[in-house]
Amino acid sequence: QARSGQLDVLGPDFASAGHVNGVLKPTEGALLLTNSGGSTLSWAANTSAPWLTLEPTGGALEAGSMAWLHLRL
């Protein structure tokens, strides 16, 4: 029997700062998604914050594969 997929999320702490009415920096970051399990898994990401964009918002990861999830302000 194949092991199920296991989603691992790796990435640095993401913090953005700026002055009032100014530009936030940095404006983007990324998380590395890895499937360390034994079978394909489906994943999805979403946000209710109108100032945050996630790309892509979902997909499938085969066993042993990885993908980047980009965060943009």
Side-chain angles (χ1 to χ4, degrees):
Q1 177 177 331
R3 291 183 318 163
S4 61
Q6 178 175 322
L7 181 63
D8 300 316
V9 180
L10 305 171
D13 292 336
F14 179 72
S16 189
H19 297 286
V20 175
N21 296 322
V23 176
L24 294 173
K25 292 186 180 180
T27 58
E28 59 185 70
L31 299 172
L32 181 62
L33 309 179
T34 304
N35 180 357
S36 62
S39 62
T40 300
L41 64 80
S42 295
W43 65 273
N46 61 55
T47 179
S48 61
W51 45 266
L52 178 63
T53 302
L54 305 174
E55 188 178 291
T57 56
L61 285 174
E62 294 182 17
S65 66
M66 60 185 161
W68 288 100
L69 173 60
H70 297 277
L71 315 163
R72 292 187 181 85
L73 302 179

